[in-house]
Amino acid sequence: MSVWAGGGCSASGGWKKITIPSLLEKKRAGLRISAVTAYDFASARLVDEAGLDAVLVGDSLAMVMQGHESTLDVTMDEMLVYTRAVRRAVRRALLVADMPFGSYQVDEAEGVRNAIRFVKEAGAEAVKLEGGRERADLVRRIVGAQVPVMGHVGLTPQAVHRMGGYKVQGRTLEAVEVLRQDVRALAEAGCFAIVLEGVPREVAAILTAELSIPTIGIGAGPECDGQILVWHDMMGLTGSSPAKFVRRYADAGTLMRDALARYKRDVESGAFPSDAESYHMPLGAREELEAQNEAQPEVQA
Ligand code: KIV
């Protein structure tokens, strides 16, 4: 088979694979980009079937899947496991893997090596990393190794200790100028898109207009070229009340809790499983078994 055959591009009008060029084309055409996180096979399959443009295996999984207090704990090897599971489900959407804390901050060669691991060992099509100007050289090297990079500025959760908490960034004119320099440096270094997280709407709108690559917002207002939400937030699967920018599109938590309560009740009352939910022996063998059983002498206590 020719490598030019590509995947999923159906001449009969079926689904079309989302690629880096097609995301750039969306920005040029003024079409918005839809993205969401996913961390496992089942949810990733739903995302892909729903036709979203991009799936991010975010390091937010440290919190929503593993129960850590921040994103800092998840390791490179763990991120690879989750990315592989998502890869098995995703056919159409662009699959982006998040580089975890510690996998690219120490030295650039290690960052490039880890970015390549996501592609080679887990089937990611791009990686995302946090930071601005200080990451430009690294982005250049990763892109030079043929791994597309998505930037991430504003509220960058891996910098939670430096920021002193999860705080909206870019609220002063000086801070806006810093953000502007950061996104410019990332775009010049070769990022194909930039996540703007926790940034005032007005600022995100200006940065989006100034950039030729798409911005993907989370808590950054509607003028971004696209939006991303964390799966557990949008599905109502997080215990705490969601942040202001989260819209809950489903109350899956309540749905699942109710299902579990009904299941427990049915198990305890004997209503589950029913006869229809049980397997049976073939008729002849069943009658023989019953006859045999009746012929058995009763066991004395
Ligand atoms: O890890 C993550 O889920 C993210 C998104 C919030 C952009 O980085």
Side-chain angles (χ1 to χ4, degrees):
M1 189 182 103
S2 160
V3 292
W4 283 43
C9 216
S10 158
S12 58
W15 56 267
K16 197 168 182 327
K17 175 81 185 97
I18 303 294
T19 61
I20 307 279
S22 62
L23 288 188
L24 295 170
E25 189 44 47
K26 274 198 132 177
K27 167 145 184 153
R28 277 193 288 269
L31 300 171
R32 290 213 167 86
I33 296 164
S34 55
V36 70
T37 67
Y39 317 103
D40 61 38
F41 180 82
S43 58
R45 194 176 54 186
L46 295 174
V47 173
D48 209 47
E49 284 170 1
L52 273 79
D53 294 311
V55 178
L56 171 70
V57 184
D59 63 352
S60 49
L61 71 81
M63 299 169 83
V64 296
M65 296 292 287
Q66 299 181 326
H68 290 294
E69 290 287 315
S70 74
T71 61
L72 303 178
D73 303 80
V74 67
T75 67
M76 189 60 210
D77 286 339
E78 288 170 334
M79 288 300 299
L80 287 169
V81 170
Y82 289 95
T83 306
R84 282 186 206 112
V86 170
R87 173 73 285 167
R88 289 180 201 114
V90 171
R91 293 284 160 268
R92 178 184 178 278
L94 185 82
L95 175 52
V96 185
D98 219 355
M99 297 197 65
F101 179 63
S103 70
Y104 60 95
Q105 287 88 348
V106 179
D107 75 60
E108 285 176 10
E110 189 181 27
V112 178
R113 213 173 290 121
N114 283 325
I116 290 174
R117 285 190 75 193
F118 273 116
V119 176
K120 213 176 171 74
E121 298 177 34
E125 292 160 287
V127 296
K128 176 172 83 59
L129 54 84
E130 296 182 8
R133 273 164 292 182
E134 73 281 12
R135 301 280 174 247
D137 287 340
L138 173 63
V139 168
R140 233 173 252 113
R141 286 187 61 174
I142 298 176
V143 172
Q146 309 307 322
V147 179
V149 180
M150 178 181 268
H152 184 163
V153 300
L155 192 170
T156 46
Q158 291 177 13
V160 59
H161 297 312
R162 178 180 55 75
M163 293 182 303
Y166 299 104
K167 294 178 180 161
V168 173
Q169 304 292 302
R171 279 191 144 144
T172 63
L173 292 185
E174 295 75 38
V176 172
E177 204 37 49
V178 169
L179 274 178
R180 178 180 268 131
Q181 299 302 328
D182 283 342
V183 295
R184 275 189 193 157
L186 290 172
E188 277 167 23
C191 280
F192 71 90
I194 299 178
V195 169
L196 300 179
E197 178 167 357
V199 171
R201 173 180 181 172
E202 303 76 21
V203 177
I206 292 170
L207 299 179
T208 299
E210 287 179 359
L211 285 170
S212 59
I213 57 170
T215 58
I216 311 292
I218 174 161
E223 283 84 13
C224 294
D225 297 303
Q227 297 292 327
I228 185 163
L229 281 175
V230 168
W231 173 270
H232 292 65
D233 287 343
M234 70 172 292
M235 295 300 178
L237 287 169
T238 42
S240 52
S241 56
K244 173 189 172 108
F245 64 82
V246 171
R247 187 179 295 179
R248 279 197 165 160
Y249 281 87
D251 190 1
T254 303
L255 198 75
M256 290 182 186
R257 210 174 291 114
D258 288 352
L260 289 165
R262 282 188 290 115
Y263 169 64
K264 178 179 188 291
R265 223 174 27 239
D266 287 352
V267 168
E268 287 172 354
S269 71
F272 176 82
S274 67
D275 186 59
E277 288 157 334
S278 307
Y279 294 104
H280 293 288
M281 296 184 77
L283 201 55
R286 189 155 129 195
E287 282 163 358
E288 253 178 66
L289 180 71
E290 277 164 9
Q292 228 179 53
N293 212 31
E294 274 161 26
Q296 292 284 329
E298 259 186 41
V299 180
Q300 298 296 320

